[in-house]
Amino acid sequence: MAIKAEESGPAPLVWARVAGPIEACFPTTGVITTPSADVYNRACVPREQAMAAEVAQVRRLSYMTFKQPFPPATIQSPR
C-alpha cells in the first residue's frame, strides 16, 4: 500500500496492488477496483485519516539490532 498526496491538493490517493491493505487501514473508505490498471485498488481518504494511519504504522515499527556497540576506549579521533 502507498499513499500519494500533493501538499495543497485534494484528498490523498491510497493505492495497493492486492486487495486488503486499504480496507484494513481505512475500513469506512470505499475502494475502487480497476482490473485493467497496474494498481488494482485505489481510494481517496481524508488527509487526517491518511496521516493517522501512517503515524500508527510508524509507532508499530520495532526491530532488534545485532550490532554490538564499540567500547569508548576503542573509538579513535580522526586526527
Side-chain angles (χ1 to χ4, degrees), residues 11-71:
L13 175 68
V14 179
W15 60 269
R17 293 189 189 277
V18 296
I22 297 174
E23 296 86 346
C25 282
F26 309 103
T28 60
T29 301
V31 176
I32 299 167
T33 302
T34 311
S36 61
D38 65 333
V39 177
Y40 304 126
N41 304 289
R42 296 182 173 100
C44 288
V45 298
R47 188 173 295 272
E48 292 76 24
Q49 270 189 323
M51 289 178 6
E54 290 294 318
V55 167
Q57 291 290 329
V58 170
R59 285 189 175 146
R60 283 194 288 268
L61 288 177
S62 66
Y63 66 94
M64 295 179 59
T65 180
F66 296 100
K67 296 179 182 178
Q68 296 297 321
F70 292 104

